[in-house]
Amino acid sequence: MSEAADQHANAHTFIGAIDQGTTSSRFLIFNSLGEVVVTHQLEFKQIYPQSGWHEHDPNDLVNSVTTCIDGAIEAFERQGHSAKDIKAVGITNQRETTLVWDVRTGEPLYNAIVWTDMRSAELVRNLKKRLGASEINQLCGLPLSTYPSGAKLLWLLENVPKVKEAYEQGNLAFGTVDTWLVYKLNGGARANVFVTDPSNASRTLFMNISSLTYDEQLLDFLRIDRKKIHLPEIVQSSHATAYGSLAVSKLRGTPITGCLGDQSAALVGQKGFTPGLAKNTYGTGCFLLYNCGPKPVISKHGLLTTVAFDFGPGKRMYALEGSIAVAGSSVKFLVDNLGFIKSSSAISALAETVEDNGGVCFVTAFSGLFAPYWVDDARGTIFGITAYTQRGHIARATLEATCFQTKAILDAMEKDSGHKLTELRVDGGMCNSDLTMQIQSDLIGIPVNRPAMRETTALGAAIAAGLAVGVWDSFDDVKNVNTEGSTIFKPLVHEKESAVQFARWEKAVQMSKGWLA
């Protein structure tokens, strides 16, 4: 077959990707060249019962996904394709968000507690005082914080009688969003497909980071009785049969063959298959993953150790991760809460109305500070406001906040890995702003590489699914997917100037601590 004919055949091989995020669900259809053929998106309700609390209706997550699948298939068929042309579906999801349900009925017992939720702060402070607390990070790669889903489960067990009762009776099922979606999309309790992948399981506090199995020492420390709770089976991120097949929607019967937590999916979508490659996703939060190879590296500088992906023997990789709780959501805050601008897309234009931040520094610690600081009692704080300050200065300081935190994470990664990154690959909504990406490159002193097609998280899920069913046979087959039209941002500011700016940011971080009574 000629190369042109081969490309034509590839363009007519399709993979679906469910991208279940914090504020919306999407379904995308890719051809094997990595091109988006169709996409359908639907936002769903955000629930904030109290300050620092964040919930989702579990049924909204499933219903929004099935609505997106059906909407995308309708558009796909209008293009002359058939739903049968889609070989498989991959799933990528918000990770630490925690769900509990009754194994007998499949009905949720409480709203999903979202990864940003802070209600377990006091519980976590008490855990840190418990004997054995210092060993937890070595076992699971995570610090004790409100971030992992395990802390959210403990809160549910202590505060929701219905959850406690199900636990005592042995009827409690626990899962992250991937497990919940796979379970419900397969038909719920009837089919009982109850699985998770290592990239999601490594965010729970329950999984041993080396063996990829549930760890008795971790469960004992958290005082969780393994006999009273149903935990999903941990299976490979790319698997032809483990995730079952869709029992609902217009793709009924289509196999689900890939599953990755959203940040791992973005690393895969950026082709970060080998050690030393890194990506940063600028979404609701901001997540930087650095592929550190086939063995876990436990951070000494405030980073998480996570499973990047597990595609089978010889194809399991770990990552160092730095997480920023507030990135794109800080822009949304300016729109929704302060009325600065009419839409998030206008933030960059407003920031460009001024030459610099005018001395303003905005620590966007709405949910505390994540990596590499891990300060639960920090809160959002704006420093440096004077009579000179304009809206543009605050807009620029908002964008800069994410870039400063990214630099702090990269500095920590360099210390842990012993290697300086030579390029940062980027994706997510905020990276659409040329100004933000230029600020980022100036601060970190290395090029920032932005692909033309930025749906890399969904692409990663599609790659995981496609590898399981032979759409691609190896990593080499995927290397040239989505490589054309990249934009490279190179540093334009002297290193001394960026160091002065970063020192001011670090001072502001110190001053933002201690706001909780």
Side-chain angles (χ1 to χ4, degrees):
M1 185 182 286
S2 70
E3 184 176 341
D6 191 41
Q7 284 197 351
H8 178 77
N10 287 342
H12 287 79
T13 301
F14 302 100
I15 294 286
I18 295 167
D19 183 355
Q20 202 300 298
T22 307
T23 59
S24 69
S25 295
R26 302 188 303 154
F27 187 72
L28 299 88
I29 300 173
F30 293 89
N31 62 25
S32 63
L33 302 177
E35 298 166 338
V36 178
V37 180
V38 168
T39 181
H40 192 97
Q41 182 170 356
L42 183 66
E43 292 190 357
F44 52 85
K45 184 179 179 182
Q46 305 297 307
I47 303 168
Y48 301 100
Q50 296 183 32
S51 176
W53 293 30
H54 189 183
E55 298 177 359
H56 292 153
D57 182 330
N59 293 319
D60 282 353
L61 302 183
V62 178
N63 294 337
S64 61
V65 165
T66 55
T67 299
C68 288
I69 292 174
D70 289 346
I73 294 301
E74 288 174 10
F76 188 60
E77 290 175 339
R78 285 197 296 271
Q79 293 182 10
H81 304 295
S82 167
K84 294 179 181 178
D85 296 335
I86 297 174
K87 303 299 182 188
V89 169
I91 294 176
T92 182
N93 58 282
Q94 50 170 320
R95 292 173 301 176
E96 293 81 6
T97 296
T98 302
L99 297 107
V100 286
W101 61 95
D102 190 312
V103 292
R104 299 168 300 178
T105 65
E107 290 302 308
L109 296 170
Y110 195 80
N111 277 343
I113 299 182
V114 182
W115 60 274
T116 55
D117 191 281
M118 296 287 290
R119 73 185 69 185
S120 60
E122 183 179 353
L123 184 152
V124 168
R125 283 194 288 273
N126 291 331
L127 283 178
K128 289 178 179 178
K129 299 172 187 175
R130 191 175 287 180
L131 186 66
S134 61
E135 300 172 33
I136 299 305
N137 187 39
Q138 295 290 321
L139 289 170
C140 67
L142 304 176
L144 288 170
S145 78
T146 60
Y147 189 29
S149 47
K152 298 170 174 60
L153 175 63
L154 293 183
W155 185 92
L156 287 164
L157 287 170
E158 287 187 9
N159 294 278
V160 183
K162 201 159 47 169
V163 174
K164 179 69 172 175
E165 182 181 350
Y167 173 74
E168 293 297 344
Q169 294 176 353
N171 296 323
L172 183 65
F174 157 86
T176 42
V177 170
D178 59 311
T179 300
W180 175 245
L181 288 181
V182 169
Y183 177 80
K184 297 297 280 189
L185 293 175
N186 271 274
R190 177 178 51 81
N192 195 32
V193 180
F194 189 49
V195 294
T196 187
D197 100 294
S199 71
N200 280 292
S202 64
R203 318 300 294 188
T204 61
L205 288 176
F206 304 152
M207 190 189 82
N208 185 294
I209 196 67
S210 297
S211 67
L212 305 195
T213 58
Y214 294 116
D215 189 284
E216 289 302 325
Q217 186 176 338
L218 289 169
L219 293 170
D220 286 347
F221 173 82
L222 297 169
R223 296 174 187 166
I224 291 175
D225 187 341
R226 186 74 174 83
K227 297 175 183 176
K228 293 183 178 180
I229 191 166
H230 297 257
L231 300 176
E233 180 185 359
I234 302 170
V235 299
Q236 286 176 200
S237 310
S238 178
H239 199 287
T241 59
Y243 297 99
S245 60
L246 289 157
V248 293
S249 83
K250 294 185 177 183
L251 280 181
R252 190 177 289 108
T254 304
I256 303 169
T257 59
C259 182
L260 288 164
D262 50 10
Q263 305 315 318
S264 287
L267 183 67
V268 170
Q270 292 275 26
K271 276 72 63 63
F273 300 129
T274 53
L277 296 178
K279 70 90 202 174
N280 200 13
T281 297
Y282 299 77
T284 303
C286 198
F287 301 88
L288 204 158
L289 261 68
Y290 175 96
N291 186 326
C292 60
K295 294 182 179 179
V297 174
I298 303 299
S299 174
K300 296 179 181 178
H301 298 94
L303 303 176
L304 310 181
T305 304
T306 193
V307 176
F309 52 83
D310 180 9
F311 291 161
K315 297 178 181 177
R316 176 197 298 174
M317 290 289 170
Y318 290 89
L320 286 168
E321 175 175 337
S323 309
I324 300 168
V326 175
S329 54
S330 64
V331 177
K332 193 170 173 58
F333 173 79
L334 294 187
V335 177
D336 296 345
N337 295 46
L338 300 186
F340 258 45
I341 43 179
K342 290 184 179 179
S343 67
S344 296
S345 60
I347 183 71
S348 193
L350 177 59
E352 287 173 351
T353 62
V354 294
E355 292 185 4
D356 53 35
N357 60 29
V360 174
C361 194
F362 188 1
V363 182
T364 51
F366 302 160
S367 302
L369 286 169
F370 285 9
Y373 306 108
W374 298 109
V375 183
D376 289 345
D377 62 2
R379 284 296 177 267
T381 321
I382 302 178
F383 298 98
I385 292 179
T386 67
Y388 169 73
T389 302
Q390 301 171 34
R391 289 188 309 140
H393 294 129
I394 294 176
R396 193 177 185 105
T398 303
L399 298 178
E400 288 176 347
T402 297
C403 299
F404 281 127
Q405 290 176 82
T406 296
K407 174 174 169 52
I409 290 168
L410 278 175
D411 288 350
M413 285 182 172
E414 185 178 339
K415 292 172 185 173
D416 279 327
S417 67
H419 300 287
K420 183 174 175 61
L421 199 66
T422 56
E423 178 186 85
L424 181 64
R425 301 178 182 183
V426 299
D427 52 54
M430 279 185 79
C431 87
N432 293 329
S433 163
D434 287 359
L435 174 64
T436 305
M437 293 300 96
Q438 187 57 57
I439 291 170
Q440 188 66 86
S441 180
D442 290 342
L443 282 174
I444 61 179
I446 58 174
V448 169
N449 183 338
R450 183 180 68 190
M453 196 288 290
R454 290 161 217 165
E455 300 289 3
T456 51
T457 302
L459 177 60
I463 289 171
L467 285 169
V469 294
V471 173
W472 301 284
D473 293 325
S474 67
F475 291 157
D476 285 340
D477 287 349
V478 186
K479 280 183 179 177
N480 294 322
V481 169
N482 192 32
T483 54
E484 295 183 5
S486 295
T487 303
I488 308 294
F489 297 87
K490 296 182 179 180
L492 300 177
V493 170
H494 194 277
E495 188 176 338
K496 287 184 178 178
E497 183 180 339
S498 65
V500 169
Q501 293 180 34
F502 186 64
R504 185 184 296 122
W505 162 263
E506 292 275 78
K507 181 180 179 181
V509 166
Q510 295 303 316
M511 294 171 68
S512 73
K513 296 178 179 179
W515 283 94
L516 289 185

